[in-house]
Amino acid sequence: MAKGAGMIHPALATMLAVLTTDYPLAPGEAESFLRPAVESSFNRISVDGECSTNDAVVLLANGASGVRRDDEAFAGSLGEVCSTLARRIVEDGEGTTVLIEVKVTGAADDREAAAIARRVATSQLVKTAAFGRDPNWGRVLAAAGSAPLDGGFAELVPERVTLTFNGATVFAGAPIDAIPSLEGPLLALELDLGLGPGTASYLASDLTYDYVRINAEYTT
Amino acid sequence: MAKGAGMIHPALATMLAVLTTDYPLAPGEAESFLRPAVESSFNRISVDGECSTNDAVVLLANGASGVRRDDEAFAGSLGEVCSTLARRIVEDGEGTTVLIEVKVTGAADDREAAAIARRVATSQLVKTAAFGRDPNWGRVLAAAGSAPLDGGFAELVPERVTLTFNGATVFAGAPIDAIPSLEGPLLALELDLGLGPGTASYLASDLTYDYVRINAEYTT
């Protein structure tokens, strides 16, 4: 079970998630399974880049199944459940009309890939373009090139970059005249930097009239 | 002269500014006057947190006035002109209905104050609350407390914090039942952290239906 909607951003969100299992875990063991599952799911989503103090993910295990342990299978299932819930939180985000899947490959390393994915996923211009169903490769590249890293910016060499919108290549070292299909509720942005082995994924919502309405009309 | 509107954020904006003067400067001298003036003006504004590659501030001096130099007076005037132009860029920002003046005092140092001011000035929730004319102190404090600094967060002790909206104190260690006047085109947010001598100012626009319209309906 998970609850989200607004103020969703890694590390500190208005998010509450409770996972229950009858898999046999000894006291204290849950954390070692939960942390990696959270890292690649709940910590890779952003609705509005906003933080909160109410962030919690809890894993409860009662061992009632009495099954023989297969930790690899359990870790895999736990990761799958976390990813599904994290995805649903973004789909259910305030005003969301499209789920943006940001996938960065070819970065210098995973940390650089994550910084770029996070910047693209939180860019107001990428998010309004997604709402407008516009394949605006310039906004994606501008966001990627402005990803903050170690007091400077992440590395990006335009000539090496490939960018696809829902599988259609719109940029490969230079703009390509393509017309991607963007009408549906999913926008897959795949950005390959052509520089190294670093990869990262991120899920984000678009920025819409309804997001503004919900958060401007709310009164304290 | 200055041109802005969208993609306005320190260091890399879609901003062009040209300043001309007949004050007598020797070749190479302009930079030492311009840099500090830009630091406290054009580098302290944000419309949407977005960057661009077209950022430029130019100072041209032809010495035609032939006046006796008074560098302190010139630096003061230059700073005033830069501040006025920077302010007008934000007032003219895409969809702006209210100019948000963020002033942070009492931070551990100026760098910490700037990190907090920048985070408040770019928070989607602060900006939608400003559009809705809601004195939402919680969003301001949540944004301040999530200001990134050196891989962690800026320091904030709620019990020491004072926050005013257009001069009316809404929080002083705890919420205060006040009704600030927020109907006009200006929102002055003064946040005193009560921790040290650090100060910083920032100007921001609100986040509105028109911002979304302009950037979602735009087609590449």
Side-chain angles (χ1 to χ4, degrees):
Chain A
M1 296 172 287
K3 170 265 157 212
M7 295 186 109
I8 292 297
H9 196 60
L12 286 162
T14 308
M15 186 194 76
L16 302 170
V18 179
L19 303 142
T20 60
T21 179
D22 55 5
Y23 185 75
L25 289 178
E29 271 192 315
E31 189 176 347
S32 62
F33 287 94
L34 189 56
R35 282 208 180 273
V38 166
E39 200 46 55
S40 59
S41 57
F42 297 112
N43 275 349
R44 290 300 177 90
I45 61 176
S46 186
V47 166
D48 54 6
E50 295 291 354
C51 300
S52 170
T53 51
N54 310 324
D55 202 17
V57 184
V58 175
L59 170 59
L60 302 171
N62 67 1
S65 66
V67 296
R68 182 202 285 263
R69 285 177 63 150
D70 177 345
D71 285 358
E72 201 178 320
F74 176 66
S77 300
L78 184 66
E80 224 170 273
V81 170
C82 286
S83 293
T84 301
L85 289 173
R87 188 181 187 90
R88 287 188 187 164
I89 284 177
V90 181
E91 287 173 343
D92 189 45
E94 289 175 338
T96 302
T97 73
V98 59
L99 178 79
I100 311 171
E101 287 181 335
V102 180
K103 193 175 170 189
V104 174
T105 54
D109 54 36
D110 286 356
R111 204 171 63 96
E112 193 140 359
I116 291 173
R118 185 180 307 117
R119 178 71 191 99
V120 172
T122 55
S123 157
Q124 285 192 193
L125 289 180
V126 169
K127 290 156 81 80
T128 45
F131 176 43
R133 303 297 191 276
D134 185 42
N136 197 319
W137 57 265
R139 290 186 185 178
V140 176
L141 294 197
S146 68
L149 192 72
D150 299 332
F153 295 101
E155 198 187 348
L156 187 139
V157 182
E159 292 72 25
R160 295 189 172 211
V161 167
T162 305
L163 175 64
T164 67
F165 279 72
N166 284 346
T169 304
V170 293
F171 191 96
I176 284 177
D177 201 13
I179 302 173
S181 167
L182 302 182
E183 290 312 309
L186 179 71
L187 170 58
L189 286 184
E190 299 198 359
L191 178 66
D192 186 86
L193 303 172
L195 296 174
T199 65
S201 294
Y202 229 91
L203 295 179
S205 58
D206 53 342
L207 175 55
T208 68
Y209 295 121
D210 264 4
Y211 179 87
V212 174
R213 183 183 56 73
I214 292 165
N215 288 293
E217 292 190 0
Y218 174 91
T219 302
T220 42
Chain B
M1 295 173 287
K3 171 264 156 212
M7 295 186 108
I8 291 296
H9 196 60
L12 287 161
T14 307
M15 187 193 76
L16 302 170
V18 179
L19 303 142
T20 60
T21 179
D22 55 5
Y23 185 75
L25 289 178
E29 271 193 316
E31 188 175 348
S32 63
F33 287 94
L34 188 56
R35 282 207 179 273
V38 166
E39 198 46 54
S40 59
S41 58
F42 297 113
N43 276 347
R44 290 300 176 89
I45 60 176
S46 186
V47 167
D48 55 5
E50 295 290 354
C51 300
S52 171
T53 50
N54 310 323
D55 203 17
V57 184
V58 176
L59 170 59
L60 302 171
N62 67 1
S65 67
V67 297
R68 181 201 285 264
R69 285 179 61 150
D70 178 345
D71 284 358
E72 201 178 321
F74 176 66
S77 300
L78 184 66
E80 224 169 273
V81 171
C82 286
S83 293
T84 301
L85 289 174
R87 189 182 186 89
R88 286 187 188 164
I89 285 177
V90 180
E91 287 172 343
D92 188 44
E94 290 175 337
T96 302
T97 74
V98 59
L99 178 78
I100 311 171
E101 287 182 336
V102 180
K103 192 175 171 189
V104 174
T105 55
D109 54 35
D110 287 356
R111 204 171 63 97
E112 191 139 0
I116 291 172
R118 186 179 306 118
R119 178 72 191 99
V120 171
T122 54
S123 157
Q124 284 191 195
L125 289 180
V126 169
K127 290 155 82 80
T128 46
F131 176 43
R133 302 300 191 274
D134 185 42
N136 197 318
W137 57 264
R139 291 186 185 179
V140 176
L141 295 197
S146 68
L149 194 72
D150 299 332
F153 295 102
E155 197 187 347
L156 188 139
V157 182
E159 293 71 25
R160 295 187 171 212
V161 167
T162 305
L163 175 64
T164 67
F165 279 71
N166 285 345
T169 304
V170 293
F171 191 97
I176 284 177
D177 201 12
I179 303 173
S181 168
L182 303 183
E183 290 312 309
L186 181 71
L187 170 58
L189 287 184
E190 299 198 359
L191 178 67
D192 187 85
L193 303 172
L195 296 174
T199 65
S201 293
Y202 229 91
L203 296 178
S205 58
D206 53 342
L207 175 55
T208 68
Y209 295 121
D210 265 3
Y211 179 86
V212 174
R213 182 183 56 73
I214 292 164
N215 288 293
E217 293 190 0
Y218 174 90
T219 302
T220 44

